[in-house]
Amino acid sequence: MSHLIAGFPDGETSVAIADALVKGGASILEIQLAFSDPSADGPAIQTASTVALEKGYSTKQGLEIVKKIHDMHPDTPIYIMTYGSLAFTPGVENFVKMCKDAGVSACIIPDLPFDNDEGLTAACAKYGMENIPVAAPSMTQARLEEMASKGFKYIYAALRAGTTGSQTVIDQATLDFLDTVGKGGAKVLGGFGIRTGEQSKVLCKHVHAVVAGSVFVNIMLKDPKDTAGVEAKARELSGL
Amino acid sequence: MAKSLVESDNGFFDKFGGKYVAEIIRRPLDDLEEAFNKFIKDPEFLEELHVIQRDYIGRETPLYYAPTATELLGGAQIYIKLEGLANTGAHKINNAIGQCLLAKKMGKTRIIAETGAGQHGLATAAACAKLGLECIVYMGEVDVRRQQPNVATMELYGAKVVPVTSGSRTLKDAVNEAMRDWATNFATTHYVLGSALGPAPFPDIVRTFQSIIGEEVKRQAAERNIDIAAIVACVGGGSNSIGVFTPFIENPNVRLIGAEAGGVGPKLGENAARMVGNAAKVGIVQGYKSKFLVDDDGQSQPTRSISAGLDYMGIGPQLAALGECGRVEFTSILDKEALEAVNFFAKNEGILFALESSHAGAAAMKIAKEFPKDKAIIINMSGRGDKDIFITSPVFRPEKWKEFLAAELKRLENNEDIHDAEIMNK
């Protein structure tokens, strides 16, 4: 699963990035709708979100990009990642419906906790979509097991203790964490801080999908035209 | 009065509050909640806190009767709670000391804080210096530039001030950055949030440490037979107001009035009024549900106020709940009214309000006449105005201030002692 931000570095290029990611082997696209205060993201994604918002890519315009990408790659599932404010303010059900209409198949909203989600899981179910909660290694065993047993089809496992963007170490503790996340039968999407093909190769044995995000954003922050670099990195990570 | 308007019920004040955070930040919040609930009942902790409040902060702070203001305003007796006399110049120290002491009991060695104007950062830096803790203060790059005196003082206390260059580079971005740091380093680190907002348990913790203001007012009023009709406080995030209001929430004889930043006008972007007018929406931002200045999509909107401490898009969840049910009344004060209030109390009472607190002063000036002479209005002067010299001087005496700054710059560039500077030999 590969990540991009709708509208970063601009609308057209974000569509080209999606294209490059799919060509590079991405089997799922995680598309982030830019939010003004992305506190669960690192500085790279926050900076990119600011750019997208300055160019006018809030919810409606962002979902237009999503629709375009969906029309180009109808077989690649698109998961929306964003923050509670963008879902809650227009009404959670309304937001989910807008996503559905754009071709989205799941929502990842880390600050709507699974046990107090403002109706997100129910709304997703109503429109044939999934709510994908985000698990973190710092969760207590009890809370983690509660999340794992709730019947979610997918759970996003954030591997590092902090926010996105730093190096991830895949050690025994990480593997134990992944085991617990998947205990209730959820397919595990594992990510946060994946940088190299080597890391990806180790991790992919233990998860349903490897998630890579800020590694691509960083390439585009360095050179906003470098979709070829994005494709090459996607190839490295997917092992194509 | 519903209990959840006085303290949170599982993190919620009526429908506001909660713990809307990513799981990465959940654990430190839950750990903090547990530790707070334990230590706030521990007599040893409370005694240690009491001694620091008395000897270091300088409590209790005076409840000052303002005779000239009372006479000029021609209504209720005006009393001013002088929180500005607390060490470091504002009420912020009450919370900073409380949380830093709690952090120390929890075995944390590193403290992080966000700051906008710099008052909370300053208080936290001082508390860390006093208690022997490492201190890192996140501050938006824009605020670092416009609040240099506070940056300099924080550094003097030994804190490291980190300019935040993401987003709008102001207070809300500093909060985001502090949250990120905490998510990564919570094993060693406590995040001292500065206002009665953010995810639970922060609104309860900050209110608890700030309510000493209201408890003192209640005691001082009882000792001196002061018949309180209203209490007025400024509301940014809301820590000083909830602190002074708390012991009076269930007393229907006392009107509680919050003064928001009216900025330069009523339009979105011209002020920071969340409860007055209809620009704000119920939203979920930065970990809590409350009223926010967000657009139709839920993106946070720019705010404006002459007072950096009130210049924030959200309001503490308990105050939002108390406002919605009508227990706390809100009014908004324009920048120019706040400046007039600074001038009024300085000239007539010899008391220099911070620009934040002068919003409360201005609100009291407007309503004083509504009350008979045997009733009292309490103005919470949350901070003193020395820190605002770079903002008030360009307004009140622009030419002299410009001359001063130019001469200082020249002197620095020439590396001269003030006695030898050119300006001394004119």
Side-chain angles (χ1 to χ4, degrees):
Chain A
M1 178 162 92
S2 298
H3 167 275
L4 66 139
I5 297 164
F8 169 77
D10 56 60
E12 208 174 303
T13 313
S14 61
V15 175
I17 292 170
D19 208 36
L21 290 170
V22 173
K23 277 189 190 140
S27 48
I28 305 164
L29 290 174
E30 178 194 6
I31 306 184
Q32 182 158 352
L33 292 179
F35 174 50
S36 50
D37 298 277
S39 54
D41 283 299
I45 288 177
Q46 168 143 23
T47 303
S49 298
T50 305
V51 172
L53 286 174
E54 277 166 2
K55 302 212 164 164
Y57 290 93
S58 187
T59 306
K60 186 167 162 277
Q61 301 80 354
L63 287 174
E64 279 165 14
I65 299 281
V66 170
K67 179 89 172 63
K68 237 179 237 177
I69 294 169
H70 177 66
D71 290 344
M72 283 167 67
H73 303 283
D75 299 330
T76 307
I78 294 176
Y79 300 170
I80 280 290
M81 186 272 169
T82 194
Y83 285 82
S85 185
L86 297 199
F88 181 81
T89 305
V92 170
E93 185 172 334
N94 187 27
F95 175 79
V96 169
K97 186 175 179 303
M98 286 193 284
C99 289
K100 179 72 185 175
D101 292 344
V104 172
S105 48
C107 289
I108 302 167
I109 304 183
D111 59 344
L112 288 182
F114 70 92
D115 54 352
N116 186 25
D117 72 358
E118 297 290 335
L120 179 63
T121 303
C124 284
K126 184 172 171 184
Y127 290 97
M129 291 164 55
E130 301 299 326
N131 174 25
I132 304 180
V134 182
S138 59
M139 290 167 77
T140 59
Q141 192 69 15
R143 189 166 172 82
L144 190 56
E145 283 178 8
E146 195 193 337
M147 181 193 273
S149 68
K150 285 271 179 184
F152 292 108
K153 190 170 174 191
Y154 302 101
I155 295 178
Y156 187 143
L159 297 181
R160 207 175 54 90
T163 46
T164 52
S166 306
Q167 289 280 341
T168 300
V169 185
I170 298 159
D171 53 13
Q172 190 54 46
T174 303
L175 297 177
D176 292 346
F177 165 64
L178 290 172
D179 275 351
T180 314
V181 174
K183 228 170 145 180
K187 293 177 179 170
V188 180
L189 314 169
F192 271 44
I194 299 296
R195 286 278 173 281
T196 65
E198 200 182 329
Q199 285 175 318
S200 180
K201 210 170 154 188
V202 175
L203 184 60
C204 78
K205 291 177 202 142
H206 306 278
V207 296
H208 171 69
V210 173
V211 185
S214 53
V215 62
F216 300 121
V217 174
N218 277 319
I219 292 171
M220 298 309 289
L221 279 172
K222 215 178 277 171
D223 176 2
K225 291 191 178 62
D226 193 13
T227 48
V230 167
E231 185 179 333
K233 188 44 109 176
R235 273 180 202 284
E236 179 192 331
L237 298 181
S238 67
L240 272 189
Chain B
M1 170 117 341
K3 188 179 162 286
S4 75
L5 291 171
V6 182
E7 57 178 29
S8 82
D9 177 10
N10 200 20
F12 279 90
F13 304 91
D14 192 12
K15 64 176 176 176
F16 298 112
K19 226 179 242 180
Y20 294 91
V21 293
E23 295 294 335
I24 47 168
I25 206 95
R26 178 79 186 212
R27 181 67 172 273
L29 288 171
D30 288 348
D31 289 353
L32 176 62
E33 192 169 330
E34 197 186 318
F36 174 70
N37 289 336
K38 177 181 151 198
F39 283 108
I40 205 64
K41 292 186 207 94
D42 174 16
E44 211 173 294
F45 175 83
L46 292 173
E47 177 56 23
E48 204 173 334
L49 180 62
H50 169 73
V51 171
I52 298 173
Q53 286 170 336
R54 185 191 65 201
D55 300 343
Y56 177 75
I57 299 180
R59 305 210 71 92
E60 62 180 34
T61 59
L63 181 64
Y64 168 74
Y65 173 60
T68 312
T70 299
E71 197 187 317
L72 290 172
L73 296 174
Q77 301 157 19
I78 303 294
Y79 283 85
I80 306 173
K81 177 65 171 167
L82 297 179
E83 280 301 293
L85 292 194
N87 192 5
T88 70
H91 74 291
K92 290 288 183 192
I93 191 73
N94 300 327
N95 171 54
I97 279 286
Q99 284 200 44
C100 287
L101 191 62
L102 176 64
K104 211 171 164 178
K105 299 285 176 196
M106 290 173 76
K108 311 285 180 187
T109 54
R110 182 173 173 269
I111 296 293
I112 55 173
E114 87 295 342
T115 200
Q119 288 307 108
H120 169 58
L122 190 79
T124 306
C128 288
K130 193 217 146 12
L131 295 169
L133 295 158
E134 184 189 354
C135 182
I136 289 103
V137 179
Y138 289 101
M139 189 168 184
E141 195 183 25
V142 172
D143 293 328
V144 168
R145 289 183 189 280
R146 65 182 173 189
Q147 304 287 343
Q148 268 299 308
N150 278 343
V151 176
T153 312
M154 283 186 266
E155 288 178 352
L156 205 55
Y157 284 128
K160 186 178 167 204
V161 180
V162 181
V164 175
T165 56
S166 54
S168 63
R169 297 175 291 161
T170 58
L171 176 60
K172 70 184 182 62
D173 308 288
V175 172
N176 293 336
E177 205 58 39
M179 285 285 180
R180 283 187 195 116
D181 181 316
W182 205 29
T184 311
N185 300 307
F186 66 85
T188 59
T189 301
H190 173 65
Y191 173 24
V192 180
L193 214 156
S195 196
L197 44 72
F202 281 113
D204 280 322
I205 291 180
V206 177
R207 182 199 59 246
T208 302
F209 288 134
Q210 291 295 2
S211 59
I212 191 165
I213 307 171
E215 284 155 17
E216 284 180 7
V217 168
K218 196 173 173 181
R219 191 171 66 233
Q220 288 165 321
E223 281 166 7
R224 288 152 60 185
N225 292 318
I226 300 165
D227 186 2
I228 303 176
I231 302 176
V232 191
C234 65
V235 184
S239 68
N240 89 83
S241 54
I242 200 69
V244 72
F245 291 164
T246 287
F248 300 93
I249 290 173
E250 292 177 289
N251 179 350
N253 299 323
V254 178
R255 279 174 66 185
L256 304 175
I257 299 163
E260 296 189 288
V264 295
K267 290 202 217 82
L268 192 63
E270 290 184 342
N271 57 65
R274 292 71 37 100
M275 303 302 288
V276 179
N278 49 15
K281 293 181 180 63
V282 176
I284 297 173
V285 184
Q286 294 195 318
Y288 63 109
K289 188 189 282 183
S290 188
K291 294 198 77 173
F292 293 94
L293 291 163
V294 293
D295 68 10
D296 291 340
D297 288 337
Q299 309 284 2
S300 60
Q301 295 302 293
T303 52
R304 179 162 176 177
S305 170
I306 193 167
S307 140
L310 305 185
D311 202 356
Y312 179 68
M313 61 169 170
I315 180 171
Q318 187 174 3
L319 283 164
L322 288 165
E324 292 270 292
C325 76
R327 178 62 191 100
V328 173
E329 305 160 47
F330 285 90
T331 178
S332 84
I333 298 297
L334 296 169
D335 286 353
K336 64 174 195 307
E337 295 171 320
L339 281 164
E340 280 161 20
V342 168
N343 209 10
F344 177 83
F345 288 102
K347 296 285 188 304
N348 294 311
E349 296 291 347
I351 286 177
L352 187 60
F353 275 65
L355 280 167
E356 289 76 13
S357 324
S358 74
H359 284 67
M365 288 164 70
K366 285 186 179 180
I367 60 163
K369 266 204 160 75
E370 295 173 23
F371 299 91
K373 291 184 192 305
D374 58 346
K375 296 278 183 184
I377 295 179
I378 312 288
I379 303 169
N380 193 35
M381 186 184 88
S382 54
R384 62 173 185 255
D386 320 32
K387 68 174 179 69
D388 294 322
I389 198 85
F390 278 77
I391 298 161
T392 49
S393 269
V395 175
F396 292 137
R397 46 198 291 280
E399 281 311 314
K400 284 181 198 161
W401 187 247
K402 205 167 131 189
E403 192 181 295
F404 162 72
L405 289 179
E408 278 299 288
L409 183 61
K410 193 164 183 187
R411 188 168 74 78
L412 270 173
E413 279 168 348
N414 295 341
N415 195 22
E416 284 172 336
D417 184 86
I418 185 66
H419 299 92
D420 306 324
E422 191 185 324
I423 197 160
M424 297 300 291
N425 303 317
K426 286 210 281 210

